[in-house]
Amino acid sequence: MILEHKGKKPKIGKNVFIALTATVIGDVEIEDGASVWYGAVLRGDMAPVKVGKNTNIQDNCTVHTDTDKPAVIGDNVTIGHNAVVHGCTVERNCLIGINAVVLNDAHVKTGSVVASGSVVKEGQHVGPCHLVAGIPASMKREVTEADAEEFGRPVRDYLRLAREHMDIRRVDE
């Protein structure tokens, strides 16, 4: 569902997959090749939400903002199932694991990984190229080139999956 809020309509790029049960509302920009999966909510009602090229926002994620605290997600990012990204910046080529939380004013820098179930505190900076885990998230190690290749796999997988899901037809019509 794509909704206008207070005169602001989402801007959707080319070849973007937005699942039928996802909600995109207000001041949201989704760039080319991105995908927003089933049950995800991108709510740009308090500040802008920006999603970069080829980024995937997986099932049941929440991307929201606070007043004057936009959510900015770079290119080639994976936001895992049930993650919450709130009023923060996630630069390009990052992976936010399943059920992770990234809070207001946090900044996850290029090539970094937030492990599943972790919480990045308000105002916390991660990276670049750091793997963090825990509550609160703390650095465990640097991301190697081999890691970067492996952590980039979901971006490629979700580009393929998005093309497949664009062709799915309802069977109850």
Side-chain angles (χ1 to χ4, degrees):
M1 183 176 337
I2 301 172
L3 303 169
E4 180 177 337
H5 180 264
K6 293 188 177 180
K8 295 196 176 187
K9 297 178 185 176
K11 296 175 187 166
I12 312 297
K14 297 176 185 172
N15 300 313
V16 170
F17 170 70
I18 299 175
L20 185 62
T21 58
T23 302
V24 177
I25 181 168
D27 192 359
V28 177
E29 181 180 350
I30 303 173
E31 292 191 21
D32 299 349
S35 56
V36 180
W37 291 83
Y38 303 93
V41 177
L42 281 64
R43 210 171 97 207
D45 55 352
M46 298 174 74
V49 170
K50 182 171 183 189
V51 176
K53 293 178 183 176
N54 301 326
T55 286
N56 60 89
I57 311 291
Q58 295 179 6
D59 308 70
N60 299 314
C61 287
T62 301
V63 179
H64 192 230
T65 62
D66 269 339
T67 302
D68 299 323
K69 296 184 186 310
V72 178
I73 303 168
D75 297 344
N76 302 309
V77 171
T78 292
I79 309 290
H81 308 289
N82 297 308
V84 176
V85 174
H86 201 280
C88 62
T89 299
V90 177
E91 293 182 357
R92 70 185 189 285
N93 302 325
C94 290
L95 186 148
I96 308 301
I98 293 171
N99 213 40
V101 177
V102 184
L103 295 171
N104 285 349
D105 294 321
H107 194 133
V108 180
K109 295 180 181 176
T110 299
S112 292
V113 175
V114 176
S116 296
S118 298
V119 176
V120 177
K121 300 183 304 184
E122 286 194 35
Q124 183 176 353
H125 287 241
V126 172
C129 298
H130 288 173
L131 183 144
V132 298
I135 303 173
S138 62
M139 183 175 162
K140 300 304 178 187
R141 63 182 176 83
E142 291 190 11
V143 174
T144 67
E145 285 186 38
D147 292 333
E149 179 63 29
E150 179 62 22
F151 296 143
R153 185 180 46 80
V155 171
R156 296 185 297 278
D157 290 347
Y158 272 82
L159 285 168
R160 177 186 50 78
L161 284 168
R163 286 189 299 274
E164 290 176 12
H165 282 253
M166 284 180 192
D167 294 332
I168 290 176
R169 301 289 176 239
R170 288 179 59 151
V171 296
D172 62 347
E173 293 179 337

